[in-house]
Amino acid sequence: MTSRPVPAVSPGHGGLDGATARRRYVTVSFLFWLPIGMSIATGVLLFTERGMGLAAIAGFYAVHSLTAAAMELPTGGLSDVIGRRPVLAIAGLLNLTAFTLIGLGAAGWAIALGMGLMGLARALSSGPAEAWYVDTVHAHAGPDADLRTGLARGSSATSAALALGTLLGGGLPWLLGLAPGLGEWLADTTGGLVIPLSVPALLGALVEGVFVLYVLSALPEPPRPRTTLRRVMGGVPAAIAAGLRLGARDALIRRILLTASAAGAALAAVELLTPGRAAALMGTAESGALVFAGLACAGFLCSALGSQLAPLVARFTGGSERAVLASLGLVTLGLTLLGLTTHTMSPLATTVAVTGYGLVYLGLGAAGPNENDLLHRRVDASGRATALSVQSLSLQLVAAGAGLGAGALPPGPLPWLLAATAVLAGALLWVRRAAPAPPHHGPSATGGPVAAPVPAGPLHDTAPEEIHPHARPT
């Protein structure tokens, strides 16, 4: 009797099978984004309570986005050289420091520094966890292993962490406000450094410590060639050039990057403008934070649902490209509904606005895994983190500019409708199917040919030999 050959398991990945790697990837995704979710509901309102105007707050978020954008490609290359685990651990430590500064900082420079460190952490974390998961699955099951399921679950875990974190972050200040005099006692005891709205950020710093410990203990990876700081820094320009070439030589990757830019415009408008609408609806910052927490939680749950539905949407529409088109259409509709309801707070308008908010996140959640599945099949293992960083770079750059623009524009429908126009332009890129790449040897997970992966460039030799080329999600 003969048996089918079993792919060799890479000892460098601890002998992890696909299911174990998926669970650990999901856990890492959840732990990283939970503290960020805890700061979402109170971020804008905390800065407002510290005496900052909307233009200054938009500037803080621009510091975050521009820092992340400036460091995306260098840090993506760093992960490909020194490993996924150390880069993720550094990201966690930076976030721990950032949340501490944001929670305690009453001065603009402290808040700006915290947002900058958070942007650096975002750049460091944008690819390594996903790249670790794909590398580990390929090492165990080969380059044609199914990735979309794990990527969708990781995206769902991210959304669930943001939803839970937002509920916790919005609920804590409200609960602290129920105790008579507790908020004043916190402020008096700490010299004004700690107020109810800053507690979620400080609690998030503690969660980041747990994240760092988990990363160091649960993400084995093969040893990489010894290197020096000089060699690593010398490879940064090559990493940047390799990342830029990805979009220049492949039309499909170029579409993915432009789509990420459109998503950045949508997220900048939603994150900057929605908290103020919630506070205006309720009349106080603490009540507004609670309402926004519930709304953001619902949005992230919609994003998680969209991620889970991503494979079904791809099958229903006839492929990942059509799925991205349909998903971005939902985002455009949601932003339009939000824009058309800015001048009234009637029950009907509020219901329409909440529906639009949910559609934005449902569409973004469904688009992400399908975009990333397409991208992973165009790049090889040596530049996977770099490719993910290029995608995140596109999102962050546009988010920074769109946030500054939305903060400078007069309140009303215009900022929302401009964001809707940007997303519509991104959706129209997918009306025509991309030309197929040359076939890759071997069948895909669905039985058809796979597009040949695009090498990322000079970092190729740093990849472990047992890692097979191709794959990736959003």
Side-chain angles (χ1 to χ4, degrees), residues 381-467:
S382 66
R384 184 165 291 122
T386 299
L388 292 171
S389 292
V390 176
Q391 186 185 31
S392 183
L393 168 64
S394 301
L395 186 149
Q396 294 292 339
L397 278 176
V398 174
L404 289 173
L409 289 171
L414 183 59
W416 297 102
L417 297 180
L418 287 177
T421 302
V423 176
L424 177 61
L428 293 177
L429 295 172
W430 299 92
V431 171
R432 296 182 59 187
R433 294 183 183 272
H440 176 53
H441 296 296
S444 69
T446 58
V450 180
V454 178
L459 297 176
H460 179 76
D461 291 338
T462 66
E465 291 181 357
E466 68 271 16
I467 302 300

Side-chain angles (χ1 to χ4, degrees), residues 105-393:
W109 69 265
I111 297 173
L113 177 59
M115 295 296 282
L117 291 177
M118 192 181 298
L120 179 56
R122 170 68 181 270
L124 285 165
S125 67
S126 64
E130 186 175 312
W132 175 86
Y133 168 69
V134 175
D135 291 347
T136 304
V137 171
H138 281 177
H140 179 267
D144 296 321
D146 173 62
L147 296 170
R148 187 180 288 157
T149 300
L151 295 175
R153 290 186 182 179
S155 182
S156 295
T158 295
S159 298
L162 289 169
L164 177 60
T166 303
L167 276 183
L168 291 173
L172 280 174
W174 179 76
L175 289 173
L176 292 173
L178 293 179
L182 181 58
E184 291 79 2
W185 177 83
L186 280 174
D188 292 340
T189 304
T190 61
L193 292 179
V194 178
I195 60 177
L197 287 171
S198 66
V199 171
L202 298 176
L203 184 58
L206 296 178
V207 178
E208 288 292 347
V210 176
F211 167 80
V212 172
L213 294 176
Y214 186 82
V215 164
L216 294 176
S217 62
L219 302 188
E221 59 181 344
R224 294 176 182 266
R226 290 187 178 181
T227 188
T228 63
L229 179 61
R230 181 178 179 182
R231 288 184 61 190
V232 170
M233 296 307 296
V236 168
I240 294 174
L244 295 176
R245 284 197 300 269
L246 286 174
R249 65 190 177 192
D250 189 298
L252 179 61
I253 293 178
R254 193 157 54 245
R255 289 188 188 186
I256 293 171
L257 299 182
L258 291 172
T259 300
S261 300
L267 290 172
V270 169
E271 292 172 0
L272 182 67
L273 301 175
T274 308
R277 289 180 68 168
L281 179 66
M282 299 304 297
T284 66
E286 287 77 11
S287 298
L290 181 63
V291 169
F292 178 64
L295 181 61
C297 176
F300 293 132
L301 291 176
C302 287
S303 180
L305 176 62
S307 296
Q308 288 295 103
L309 293 175
L312 179 63
V313 174
R315 288 194 295 270
F316 180 77
T317 58
S320 292
E321 294 184 39
R322 295 298 187 193
V324 174
L325 172 61
S327 301
L328 293 181
L330 282 181
V331 178
T332 303
L333 175 60
L335 290 169
T336 302
L337 293 177
L338 283 164
L340 295 177
T341 54
T342 53
H343 288 314
T344 176
M345 296 183 183
S346 68
L348 176 60
T350 301
T351 301
V352 171
V354 170
T355 302
Y357 188 92
L359 289 177
V360 169
Y361 280 92
L362 181 67
L364 290 175
N370 286 299
E371 290 176 42
N372 291 342
D373 178 67
L374 292 167
L375 181 58
H376 275 308
R377 297 183 181 278
R378 302 295 263 238
V379 297
D380 64 13
S382 66
R384 184 165 291 122
T386 299
L388 292 171
S389 292
V390 176
Q391 186 185 31
S392 183
L393 168 64

